[in-house]
Amino acid sequence: TCYLLIQIQSNFIVVINPGSTTLRIGRATDTLPVSIPQVIARRRKLQGHPHYEDAWLLREGLNKPESNEQRQNGLKMVDQAIWSKKMSNGARRIPVSADQARAYNKQMRPAVLDPSSRVKWTNTSHNPECLIGEEALFVNPSDCYNIHWPISRGQLNVHQGPHGSLTAVLANIEAIWSYAIQKFLEIPLKDLKYYRCILLIPDIYNRQHVKELVNLLLMNMGFSGIVVHQESVCATFGSGLSSACVVDVGDQKTSICCVEDGVSHRNSRLCLAYGGADVTRCFFWLMQKAGFPYRECQLSSKVDCLLLQQLKENFCHLDQDISGLQDHEFQIRNPDLPALLYQFRLGDEKLQAPMALFYPATFGIVGQKMTSLQHRSQGDSEDPHDEHYLLATQSKQDQSAKALAERKALSKPSGYDNESCNHNTDPSDRGHSQDIDLGPSQNDCIMAAADMDDPPSSLLSRKNAISQFEGKALGLDKAILHSIDCCASDETKKKMYSSILVVGGGLMFHKAQEFLQHRILNKMPPSFRRVVENVEVITRPKDMDPRLIAWKGGAVLACLDTAQELWVYQREWQRFGVRMLRERAAFVW
């Protein structure tokens, strides 16, 4: 009966996994979520205003003077790697130059399949205020609508342009999520008071943004309760693994972290600012070098972006054994135009583009922050007992309280004002906060308090080292090795090498599993190569679609007994705000 009760309750739980380009949403009891493009077209208020679109495949840093040189250097490294790895029959791969394909492709002209593509622009004759998802992608660029992607590289897409303020971005998210709930889940918004929701957030999250999203779901949309959990931990739930190094290759970002028994190791978290969209753009560049016959193709056109994504998914692979020139064909069905059939030849481009994930210089992105680490919180005025307070009040296990007090008297750590301990909160509440059981997983973070006792010069050099590290674009294999190396014990590291879980849609290439496994084996420290029985890369656990695994894990979480204590209810949020997340979240807030 208990199981039945949880099943019935799960029918009233909505799981939301918002990616950079795709929203996945469904009831916890659904087998699969609904997936829609997380994009909105908003009607321009004034006719004269210029047309605005958030970039999709284009991004900052591609047109710098050094971009092209960097691209070419990256491609040289890719070609070197292709040449150095033998095919399965022991022979060397014969490289194919783009020139061989170009001569053939330059003379190709499309065949007309049908005078009409049978694809129409979205009908806007009734002047809707906004259009969402697929309809937004097919809004005619000459119509007076602006296009907004409210999440970019896993974070809220706050920028200087139209609809780029935090308030506007949140309004766009609310519109998209409300639309999906009404249209696909068939839940009227007024009934959300009977529903609770599970929100998946990135491993390296922005506290302010998460706070705003929780507020939006509980106070604006009216859900009665919420659980917030990290995508990587949900991915382990969804794949049925207790521990794994989770590699989530999304459309715009790749996040990596090591998860052990439902806890994401904070020091192992890395976020790389590239993903599937960058591979698509790189593939387009390589196809152009090979004389891509659809010459009108533009990265600024939404329908062309959809086509390029489809071409990448159909043709790209990571199989060393596929070599030489091959003939391919593709159709173009653009709105209000004839349906066309193109034929063309491709060689190594299909392997080079996905390999750019391992040699990201090939993306040609200059002057951007490419790697993010988990930074300490800056504190929150609404949360007087945040980690700064806990750090200031938590005694270090290895020292007596007296020694600690003496040390503190000698050098009061900068940034810990006494105020943080003297907020006008209920004294009983404050006492409780000091007694919070931090559990073993949090000790690592608490020990980071030692940073505060370092002299300012070493703090500065550490800051410089971090900012240098964050400026570098790490290849996917190197980033995985770095993440595993940040685990505390050799025992954990061994566990991670034998369970590397790849989720998300950015690495769904033929032979990706073998390719990644080979690279990790070759690059892992020799000391581990001797003791790890088998390095295992898992790309399709239980034969599931890797794009849906994190969402599935959110649905599994809804049914777990242990999840019952994670819920934050609307009334509590109204009263205590963000403090509830620190009290209830299953991870260190």
Side-chain angles (χ1 to χ4, degrees):
T1 55
C2 178
Y3 177 72
L4 195 66
L5 192 67
I6 285 179
Q7 276 296 101
I8 294 165
Q9 284 178 341
S10 301
N11 202 26
F12 287 87
I13 294 175
V14 174
V15 180
I16 304 176
N17 181 13
S20 304
T21 48
T22 309
L23 166 68
R24 298 193 168 86
I25 188 167
R27 287 179 170 83
T29 45
D30 294 342
T31 318
L32 299 170
V34 172
S35 299
I36 65 163
Q38 193 156 244
V39 61
I40 185 168
R42 280 201 181 270
R43 196 151 58 88
R44 288 200 288 285
K45 295 281 183 280
L46 299 164
Q47 286 303 122
H49 277 205
H51 175 71
Y52 174 84
E53 281 195 24
D54 280 339
W56 181 7
L57 291 185
L58 289 167
R59 59 183 292 171
E60 293 288 313
L62 294 173
N63 296 319
K64 295 281 193 298
E66 313 86 4
S67 293
N68 207 36
E69 188 188 344
Q70 192 166 302
R71 234 179 249 125
Q72 302 292 357
N73 288 341
L75 189 55
K76 275 190 195 132
M77 290 192 279
V78 165
D79 286 338
Q80 177 60 38
I82 291 174
W83 186 83
S84 63
K85 185 172 180 255
K86 290 181 177 161
M87 298 196 293
S88 56
N89 63 7
R92 286 250 180 247
R93 225 169 156 280
I94 296 156
V96 182
S97 80
D99 306 346
Q100 292 171 264
R102 196 185 302 118
Y104 176 84
N105 291 336
K106 281 281 187 219
Q107 58 186 13
M108 294 314 287
R109 295 292 173 268
V112 176
L113 287 175
D114 188 327
S116 161
S117 65
R118 302 179 200 281
V119 176
K120 294 262 176 280
W121 292 114
T122 301
N123 178 7
T124 56
S125 58
H126 55 303
N127 290 333
E129 196 50 46
C130 63
L131 293 151
I132 287 162
E134 205 74 33
E135 288 189 328
L137 289 180
F138 283 91
V139 165
N140 191 328
S142 63
D143 275 356
C144 54
Y145 284 83
N146 289 341
I147 308 295
H148 306 284
W149 297 88
I151 296 184
S152 171
R153 283 181 235 304
Q155 304 294 335
L156 297 189
N157 188 10
V158 178
H159 57 81
Q160 299 299 312
H163 260 261
S165 69
L166 181 59
T167 313
V169 169
L170 290 165
N172 286 339
I173 287 177
E174 185 176 347
I176 295 168
W177 294 0
S178 300
Y179 164 84
I181 286 167
Q182 289 173 100
K183 180 168 174 162
F184 300 109
L185 308 189
E186 296 176 354
I187 303 169
L189 294 182
K190 63 174 177 22
D191 288 355
L192 287 183
K193 55 179 175 288
Y194 305 118
Y195 285 79
R196 293 175 291 166
C197 80
I198 290 180
L199 174 67
L200 275 59
I201 61 166
D203 303 300
I204 297 181
Y205 52 88
N206 176 317
R207 280 176 177 75
Q208 177 66 22
H209 291 181
V210 174
K211 183 169 88 173
E212 296 291 356
L213 290 175
V214 171
N215 201 57
L216 182 148
L217 288 160
L218 293 178
M219 307 316 297
N220 298 22
M221 293 174 71
F223 279 100
S224 65
I226 190 170
V227 166
V228 177
H229 215 332
Q230 292 161 302
E231 289 169 334
S232 62
V233 177
C234 290
T236 61
F237 293 156
S239 56
L241 297 168
S242 60
S243 300
C245 173
V246 179
V247 182
D248 183 348
V249 189
D251 189 56
Q252 299 186 3
K253 66 140 175 69
T254 297
S255 47
I256 302 167
C257 88
C258 295
V259 176
E260 205 173 8
D261 303 321
V263 175
S264 143
H265 286 302
R266 181 168 171 155
N267 297 341
S268 71
R269 292 176 206 160
L270 277 179
C271 183
L272 312 171
Y274 58 77
D278 298 281
V279 176
T280 304
R281 194 185 56 253
C282 180
F283 187 44
F284 178 47
W285 170 64
L286 293 165
M287 288 195 297
Q288 283 180 308
K289 282 165 73 87
F292 186 49
Y294 170 37
R295 292 178 186 81
E296 300 75 24
C297 191
Q298 295 286 334
L299 285 174
S300 53
S301 150
K302 299 184 297 300
V303 288
D304 285 348
C305 287
L306 286 167
L307 169 80
L308 290 169
Q309 204 169 2
Q310 192 192 330
L311 295 182
K312 174 193 73 174
E313 288 169 12
N314 292 349
F315 299 141
C316 286
H317 62 82
L318 282 165
D319 185 350
Q320 286 283 127
D321 290 354
I322 299 174
S323 67
L325 282 175
Q326 269 102 26
D327 287 346
H328 296 287
E329 59 178 42
F330 63 94
Q331 294 181 18
I332 292 185
R333 293 181 179 274
N334 282 350
D336 301 343
L337 290 170
L340 303 175
L341 176 73
Y342 281 91
Q343 292 183 320
F344 73 136
R345 268 180 198 167
L346 283 178
D348 290 348
E349 296 80 11
K350 297 169 292 183
L351 173 60
Q352 290 165 332
M355 280 186 68
L357 289 167
F358 300 89
Y359 299 95
T362 319
F363 295 137
I365 304 158
V366 173
Q368 300 292 300
K369 180 174 168 179
M370 294 304 289
T371 307
S372 304
L373 301 165
Q374 179 81 61
H375 288 299
R376 297 275 303 285
S377 143
Q378 296 308 301
D380 187 325
S381 58
E382 283 179 38
D383 186 13
H385 303 121
D386 60 15
E387 68 174 329
H388 290 269
Y389 172 84
L390 290 171
L391 288 172
T393 55
Q394 174 92 354
S395 66
K396 291 187 188 165
Q397 283 89 341
D398 57 344
Q399 293 179 344
S400 69
K402 185 169 172 289
L404 192 64
E406 282 172 11
R407 246 175 105 187
K408 276 196 172 162
L410 288 171
S411 63
K412 183 182 154 205
S414 61
Y416 290 167
D417 293 340
N418 285 334
E419 283 171 35
S420 63
C421 308
N422 297 337
H423 271 277
N424 310 329
T425 44
D426 172 7
S428 63
D429 185 53
R430 193 157 78 226
H432 166 69
S433 195
Q434 290 180 350
D435 299 332
I436 282 179
D437 172 24
L438 280 160
S441 64
Q442 273 109 331
N443 279 345
D444 308 354
C445 314
I446 296 305
M447 294 317 277
D451 295 353
M452 291 306 199
D453 298 319
D454 290 345
S457 61
S458 78
L459 269 178
L460 202 62
S461 66
R462 181 168 311 152
K463 269 199 170 138
N464 289 342
I466 286 174
S467 71
Q468 271 187 329
F469 181 78
E470 293 191 330
K472 285 201 180 85
L474 280 185
L476 185 58
D477 46 354
K478 288 199 175 125
I480 293 168
L481 292 167
H482 179 89
S483 175
I484 294 177
D485 194 49
C486 286
C487 290
S489 72
D490 284 0
E491 202 45 53
T492 304
K493 290 178 192 177
K494 273 178 10 191
K495 217 186 273 185
M496 296 304 151
Y497 277 119
S498 56
S499 181
I500 296 169
L501 173 66
V502 182
V503 297
L507 199 69
M508 290 174 68
F509 301 108
H510 171 60
K511 292 281 179 156
Q513 189 262 343
E514 295 87 337
F515 186 90
L516 182 55
Q517 195 154 315
H518 178 266
R519 291 196 63 105
I520 298 291
L521 262 170
N522 276 349
K523 289 203 157 84
M524 67 192 279
S527 53
F528 279 101
R529 208 172 299 153
R530 286 194 292 274
V531 290
V532 175
E533 280 84 71
N534 59 331
V535 167
E536 191 164 354
V537 172
I538 304 149
T539 50
R540 289 192 84 90
K542 302 177 182 166
D543 225 17
M544 280 162 55
D545 181 339
R547 292 170 292 194
L548 309 181
I549 287 170
W551 180 89
K552 197 79 187 156
V556 168
L557 178 65
C559 305
L560 294 177
D561 283 349
T562 47
Q564 300 320 305
E565 64 223 38
L566 306 178
W567 289 102
V568 172
Y569 292 98
Q570 193 189 52
R571 293 178 308 284
E572 300 173 312
W573 181 262
Q574 235 166 333
R575 189 168 165 211
F576 300 110
V578 75
R579 280 183 282 171
M580 292 312 301
L581 279 177
R582 192 176 33 75
E583 300 255 326
R584 301 274 165 83
F587 51 92
V588 187
W589 174 252

